[in-house]
Amino acid sequence: MTTQDFQQDGGADAAVTPVPLSMAFAGGGGYPLAAGYRVNVRQGPGTNTPVVRQLPAGSQITIRCQRRGEWVTGPCGTSNLWDSIGPNQYVSDAYVHTGSNGMVAPGCMS
């Protein structure tokens, strides 16, 4: 993953709210991003696809489905899983606290 794929927040005005993993699994709004990171949402499962938008630090995501793509190393490990959060919107699983090294949602159909 290149530096253009995430930004680590810092400084006094960085608003990061840690979320216990137990809340993420209890249907409390989704899975938290790695603390302190703003993560790009991409059009496809790779860093070579266009950026659709950027999620702010402290965000949680709901994973609709997952697909394999480019390998990425991030604060949550190294993975080739990409989490679909909407039509043509993917986030590298290496930046999402899912509590698993494998899939936590069904595979994407297309």
Side-chain angles (χ1 to χ4, degrees), residues 29-99:
Y31 296 96
L33 294 181
Y37 287 87
R38 291 179 286 168
V39 178
N40 285 339
V41 178
R42 294 194 167 267
Q43 195 170 36
T47 60
N48 61 336
T49 64
V51 174
V52 176
R53 61 189 169 112
Q54 188 176 77
L55 299 174
S59 294
Q60 292 186 19
I61 63 168
T62 299
I63 301 172
R64 297 174 53 232
C65 61
Q66 293 177 296
R67 71 180 327 152
R68 300 212 181 266
E70 180 182 350
W71 284 93
V72 174
T73 298
C76 300
T78 299
S79 179
N80 69 341
L81 286 176
W82 286 75
D83 305 328
S84 173
I85 61 172
N88 299 315
Q89 297 181 53
Y90 292 88
V91 173
S92 171
D93 199 62
Y95 286 84
V96 181
H97 286 290
T98 62

